[in-house]
Amino acid sequence: MDKPVKTPKRRNGYVGPTRSFTDTLQNLLQKYGRSGGGDGQFDLLRSYGAKDVFVYCAGDIRFLASKVVSIVGTREISEAGIKRANRLSRELAEMGVVVMSGLAKGVDSVAHLGAINAGGKTAAVIGTPLDRAYPAENAQLQMDIYNHHLLISPFGVGEEVYRSNFPTRNRVMALLSDATVIVEASDTSGTLHQAVECQKNGRWLFIMKSVAEDPKLSWPAKFLNHPRTRVLESTSDIVEALR
């Protein structure tokens, strides 16, 4: 239900949305033609004893009717990674694909901005309630997204922010996406939570070729034997898979 919220407080230059709406993750997945997670997956997301998993949104939820691809990766992105993430997000946006990410530093920020600068659509799934921006340097970008694109959080206004919020954010992002692309990630990256969720829920997972062929990394080999996981060489690989 679309509803006004109390006059939002300004936090480090960020003002939360004046209108938001709440729905269940289960309903959004069904409405927009994406398979739902199993009960075990939803158990990881729902509050103790609750039947439904609620999400809180601001912006245009109809974005989910389009193909949605998450572009994710490290906060400590390299110059090469910036170029790859920007090119991929731009090309997907130009094809009408919604670029989703988590509004973190690094790969996430580049992905959102690449889609916006290409005149496309972006959606952010965040690890804080809608009235907070993290990191603070992305406050203006977050406001731009809820005003002109789509902002989603699995956390209600007033909830505390813990480190465990971010794996939860990744589970929701994986479910709402048709595919996820990992641009850069170390063997200990939190991004790998999303890779696991993709494989558990039958979503496409793409690992950029530069990452898959990096001899310093062991994690890609653990995922590449899955039938819906591929090494990404060009944007057309994603488009062909999603057909």
Side-chain angles (χ1 to χ4, degrees):
M1 178 180 293
D2 189 20
K3 61 182 180 180
V5 297
K6 294 180 180 179
T7 302
K9 296 179 181 179
R10 179 176 290 272
R11 295 172 181 261
N12 298 319
Y14 176 72
V15 179
T18 56
R19 297 191 71 85
S20 65
F21 56 94
T22 304
D23 207 334
T24 68
L25 180 59
Q26 294 98 320
N27 183 56
L28 290 179
L29 293 173
Q30 181 179 28
K31 183 176 181 179
Y32 293 106
R34 293 180 179 88
S35 60
D39 287 342
Q41 291 298 96
F42 281 128
D43 285 344
L44 294 170
L45 295 167
R46 59 168 61 98
S47 300
Y48 178 75
K51 177 181 179 181
D52 296 312
V53 176
F54 289 97
V55 291
Y56 308 89
C57 313
D60 192 345
I61 196 66
R62 294 171 297 178
F63 279 20
L64 297 182
S66 300
K67 293 297 184 184
V68 178
V69 174
S70 285
I71 300 176
V72 297
T74 181
R75 290 171 170 80
E76 305 302 324
I77 189 171
S78 68
E79 287 297 322
I82 290 172
K83 292 178 181 178
R84 293 185 183 110
N86 184 64
R87 178 179 176 180
L88 177 61
S89 60
R90 185 185 73 247
E91 291 179 350
L92 287 171
E94 289 171 348
M95 293 176 182
V97 175
V98 175
V99 173
M100 182 175 276
S101 199
L103 248 175
K105 292 169 58 178
V107 171
D108 292 17
S109 299
V110 175
H112 290 304
L113 289 170
I116 292 170
N117 292 337
K121 300 175 181 177
T122 193
V125 182
I126 58 175
T128 66
L130 298 179
D131 64 333
R132 299 183 65 176
Y134 178 83
E137 65 198 60
N138 276 349
Q140 185 59 52
L141 177 57
Q142 186 163 317
M143 290 189 285
D144 188 19
I145 288 173
Y146 75 64
N147 278 313
H148 304 291
H149 299 272
L150 175 62
L151 183 68
I152 299 171
S153 174
F155 306 102
V157 170
E159 289 190 44
E160 294 294 327
V161 178
Y162 302 100
R163 292 187 64 146
S164 60
N165 284 29
F166 296 94
T168 299
R169 180 269 312 272
N170 289 344
R171 290 188 185 104
V172 172
M173 199 189 321
L175 282 166
L176 290 175
S177 302
D178 297 293
T180 290
V181 181
I182 298 180
V183 174
E184 282 188 348
S186 70
D187 283 330
T188 58
S189 174
T191 300
L192 303 187
H193 287 119
Q194 188 151 340
V196 170
E197 298 305 321
C198 287
Q199 295 195 335
K200 284 182 178 178
N201 292 287
R203 300 299 194 264
W204 284 99
L205 173 65
F206 292 90
I207 303 170
M208 281 206 163
K209 184 177 181 181
S210 57
V211 175
E213 295 181 350
D214 187 339
K216 298 188 297 294
L217 297 175
S218 63
W219 73 261
K222 300 174 183 178
F223 290 90
L224 285 170
N225 61 352
H226 190 277
R228 281 185 170 245
T229 299
R230 294 183 182 174
V231 175
L232 182 66
E233 298 192 42
S234 72
T235 306
S236 62
D237 295 339
I238 302 172
V239 177
E240 289 173 8
L242 295 185
R243 284 178 182 159

